Coordinates of all heavy atoms in Angstrom, one line a residue:
N137 N -5.7 7.8 -0.9 CA -5.7 9.1 -1.6 C -6.8 10.1 -1.0 O -7.3 11.0 -1.8 CB -5.9 8.9 -3.1 CG -4.8 8.1 -3.7 OD1 -3.6 8.4 -3.6 ND2 -5.2 7.0 -4.4
F138 N -7.2 10.0 0.2 CA -8.1 10.9 0.9 C -7.4 12.0 1.5 O -6.3 11.8 2.1 CB -8.9 10.1 1.9 CG -10.2 9.4 1.5 CD1 -10.1 8.6 0.3 CD2 -11.3 9.6 2.1 CE1 -11.3 8.0 -0.1 CE2 -12.5 8.9 1.7 CZ -12.4 8.1 0.6
D139 N -8.0 13.2 1.4 CA -7.4 14.3 2.2 C -8.1 14.4 3.5 O -9.0 13.6 3.8 CB -7.5 15.7 1.4 CG -8.9 16.1 1.1 OD1 -9.9 15.7 1.8 OD2 -9.1 16.8 0.1
R140 N -7.7 15.4 4.4 CA -8.3 15.4 5.7 C -9.8 15.7 5.7 O -10.5 15.1 6.5 CB -7.5 16.4 6.5 CG -6.1 15.9 7.0 CD -5.3 17.0 7.6 NE -4.7 17.9 6.6 CZ -3.8 18.9 6.8 NH1 -3.5 19.2 8.1 NH2 -3.3 19.5 5.8
T141 N -10.2 16.6 4.8 CA -11.6 16.9 4.7 C -12.4 15.7 4.4 O -13.5 15.4 5.0 CB -11.9 18.0 3.7 OG1 -11.2 19.2 4.1 CG2 -13.4 18.3 3.6
Q142 N -11.9 14.9 3.5 CA -12.7 13.7 3.0 C -12.7 12.6 4.1 O -13.7 11.9 4.3 CB -12.0 13.1 1.8 CG -12.3 14.0 0.6 CD -11.2 13.9 -0.5 OE1 -10.1 13.3 -0.3 NE2 -11.6 14.4 -1.7
I143 N -11.6 12.5 4.9 CA -11.6 11.6 6.0 C -12.6 12.0 7.1 O -13.4 11.2 7.6 CB -10.2 11.5 6.6 CG1 -9.3 10.8 5.6 CG2 -10.2 10.7 7.9 CD1 -7.8 10.7 6.0
R144 N -12.6 13.4 7.4 CA -13.5 13.9 8.4 C -15.0 13.6 8.0 O -15.8 13.3 8.8 CB -13.4 15.4 8.5 CG -12.3 15.8 9.5 CD -12.4 17.3 9.9 NE -12.1 18.1 8.7 CZ -10.9 18.6 8.4 NH1 -9.8 18.2 9.1 NH2 -10.7 19.4 7.4
S145 N -15.3 13.6 6.7 CA -16.7 13.4 6.2 C -17.2 12.0 6.5 O -18.4 11.8 6.6 CB -16.8 13.7 4.7 OG -16.2 12.6 3.9
I146 N -16.3 11.0 6.7 CA -16.8 9.6 7.0 C -16.6 9.2 8.4 O -17.1 8.2 8.9 CB -16.1 8.6 6.1 CG1 -14.6 8.5 6.3 CG2 -16.4 8.9 4.6 CD1 -13.9 7.4 5.6
L147 N -15.8 10.0 9.2 CA -15.7 9.7 10.6 C -17.0 9.8 11.3 O -17.8 10.8 11.1 CB -14.7 10.6 11.3 CG -13.2 10.4 10.8 CD1 -12.3 11.5 11.6 CD2 -12.7 9.0 11.1
G148 N -17.4 8.8 12.1 CA -18.7 8.8 12.8 C -19.8 8.2 12.0 O -20.9 8.2 12.5
T149 N -19.5 7.8 10.7 CA -20.6 7.2 9.9 C -20.4 5.7 9.8 O -21.0 5.0 9.0 CB -20.6 7.8 8.5 OG1 -19.3 7.5 7.8 CG2 -20.8 9.3 8.6
G150 N -19.6 5.1 10.6 CA -19.3 3.7 10.6 C -18.0 3.5 11.3 O -17.6 4.3 12.1
V151 N -17.3 2.4 11.1 CA -16.0 2.2 11.7 C -15.0 3.1 11.2 O -15.1 3.6 10.1 CB -15.5 0.7 11.6 CG1 -16.5 -0.3 12.1 CG2 -15.1 0.4 10.1
V152 N -14.0 3.4 12.0 CA -12.9 4.3 11.6 C -12.0 3.6 10.6 O -11.7 2.4 10.9 CB -12.1 4.8 12.8 CG1 -10.9 5.6 12.4 CG2 -13.0 5.5 13.8
P153 N -11.6 4.2 9.5 CA -10.7 3.5 8.6 C -9.4 3.1 9.3 O -8.9 3.9 10.1 CB -10.5 4.5 7.4 CG -10.9 5.8 8.0 CD -11.9 5.5 9.0
V154 N -8.8 2.0 9.0 CA -7.6 1.6 9.6 C -6.4 2.2 9.0 O -5.3 2.3 9.7 CB -7.4 0.0 9.6 CG1 -8.6 -0.7 10.3 CG2 -7.2 -0.5 8.2
T155 N -6.5 2.7 7.8 CA -5.3 3.3 7.1 C -5.8 4.2 6.0 O -6.9 4.1 5.5 CB -4.4 2.2 6.5 OG1 -3.1 2.8 6.3 CG2 -4.9 1.7 5.2
N156 N -4.9 5.2 5.7 CA -5.1 6.0 4.5 C -3.8 5.8 3.7 O -2.7 6.1 4.2 CB -5.2 7.5 4.9 CG -5.5 8.4 3.7 OD1 -6.0 7.9 2.6 ND2 -5.2 9.7 3.8
Q157 N -4.0 5.2 2.5 CA -2.8 4.9 1.7 C -2.6 6.1 0.7 O -3.4 6.5 -0.1 CB -3.1 3.7 0.9 CG -1.9 3.2 0.1 CD -2.1 2.0 -0.7 OE1 -2.1 2.0 -2.0 NE2 -2.4 0.9 -0.1
V158 N -1.4 6.8 0.9 CA -1.1 8.0 0.1 C 0.3 7.9 -0.4 O 1.1 7.2 0.1 CB -1.3 9.3 1.0 CG1 -2.7 9.5 1.4 CG2 -0.4 9.2 2.2
I159 N 0.6 8.7 -1.4 CA 2.0 8.8 -1.9 C 2.8 9.5 -0.8 O 2.4 10.5 -0.2 CB 2.1 9.7 -3.2 CG1 3.5 9.7 -3.7 CG2 1.6 11.1 -3.0 CD1 3.6 10.2 -5.1
S160 N 4.0 8.9 -0.5 CA 4.8 9.5 0.6 C 6.2 8.9 0.4 O 6.4 7.7 0.2 CB 4.3 9.1 2.0 OG 5.1 9.7 3.0
N161 N 7.2 9.8 0.5 CA 8.6 9.5 0.4 C 9.4 10.7 0.9 O 8.8 11.7 1.3 CB 9.0 9.1 -1.1 CG 8.6 10.2 -2.1 OD1 9.1 11.4 -2.0 ND2 7.7 9.9 -3.0
P162 N 10.7 10.7 1.0 CA 11.5 11.8 1.5 C 11.3 13.1 0.8 O 11.5 14.2 1.4 CB 12.9 11.3 1.4 CG 12.8 9.9 1.6 CD 11.6 9.5 0.8
Y163 N 10.8 13.1 -0.5 CA 10.5 14.3 -1.2 C 9.1 14.7 -1.0 O 8.7 15.8 -1.4 CB 10.8 14.2 -2.7 CG 12.2 14.3 -3.1 CD1 12.6 14.1 -4.4 CD2 13.3 14.5 -2.2 CE1 13.9 14.2 -4.9 CE2 14.6 14.6 -2.6 CZ 14.9 14.5 -3.9 OH 16.2 14.6 -4.3
W164 N 8.3 13.8 -0.4 CA 6.8 14.1 -0.2 C 6.5 13.5 1.1 O 5.8 12.4 1.2 CB 6.0 13.5 -1.4 CG 4.6 14.1 -1.5 CD1 3.9 14.7 -0.5 CD2 3.9 14.3 -2.7 NE1 2.7 15.1 -1.1 CE2 2.7 14.9 -2.4 CE3 4.1 13.9 -4.1 CZ2 1.7 15.2 -3.4 CZ3 3.2 14.2 -5.0 CH2 2.0 14.8 -4.7
T165 N 6.8 14.1 2.2 CA 6.8 13.5 3.5 C 5.4 13.3 4.1 O 5.2 12.4 4.9 CB 7.6 14.3 4.5 OG1 7.1 15.6 4.7 CG2 9.1 14.3 4.1
Q166 N 4.4 14.1 3.6 CA 3.1 14.0 4.1 C 3.0 14.2 5.7 O 2.2 13.6 6.4 CB 2.4 12.7 3.8 CG 2.2 12.5 2.3 CD 0.9 13.1 1.7 OE1 0.3 13.9 2.4 NE2 0.5 12.7 0.5
K167 N 3.9 15.1 6.2 CA 4.0 15.2 7.7 C 2.6 15.7 8.3 O 2.2 15.1 9.3 CB 5.1 16.2 8.0 CG 5.5 16.2 9.5 CD 6.8 17.0 9.7 CE 7.2 16.9 11.2 NZ 8.4 17.7 11.4
P168 N 2.0 16.7 7.7 CA 0.7 17.1 8.3 C -0.4 16.0 8.2 O -1.1 15.8 9.2 CB 0.2 18.3 7.5 CG 1.5 18.8 6.9 CD 2.4 17.6 6.6
M169 N -0.4 15.2 7.1 CA -1.4 14.1 7.0 C -1.1 13.1 8.1 O -2.0 12.5 8.7 CB -1.3 13.5 5.6 CG -2.1 12.2 5.4 SD -3.9 12.5 5.8 CE -4.4 13.4 4.3
L170 N 0.2 12.7 8.2 CA 0.6 11.7 9.2 C 0.2 12.1 10.6 O -0.4 11.3 11.4 CB 2.1 11.5 9.2 CG 2.6 10.4 10.2 CD1 2.0 9.1 10.0 CD2 4.1 10.3 10.1
A171 N 0.4 13.4 11.0 CA 0.0 13.9 12.3 C -1.5 13.8 12.5 O -2.0 13.4 13.5 CB 0.5 15.3 12.5
Y172 N -2.3 14.2 11.4 CA -3.7 14.1 11.5 C -4.2 12.7 11.7 O -5.1 12.4 12.5 CB -4.4 14.7 10.2 CG -5.8 14.5 10.2 CD1 -6.7 15.4 10.9 CD2 -6.4 13.5 9.4 CE1 -8.1 15.2 10.9 CE2 -7.8 13.4 9.4 CZ -8.6 14.2 10.1 OH -10.0 14.1 10.1

Side-chain angles (χ1 to χ4, degrees):
N137 300 305
F138 272 46
D139 61 27
R140 282 170 282 182
T141 299
Q142 291 157 344
I143 293 172
R144 275 195 294 270
S145 73
I146 63 172
L147 292 178
T149 63
V151 303
V152 176
V154 302
T155 199
N156 185 23
Q157 186 181 117
V158 295
I159 185 170
S160 180
N161 55 63
Y163 281 179
W164 201 330
T165 61
Q166 295 275 16
K167 195 172 181 179
M169 173 60 74
L170 179 58
Y172 175 78

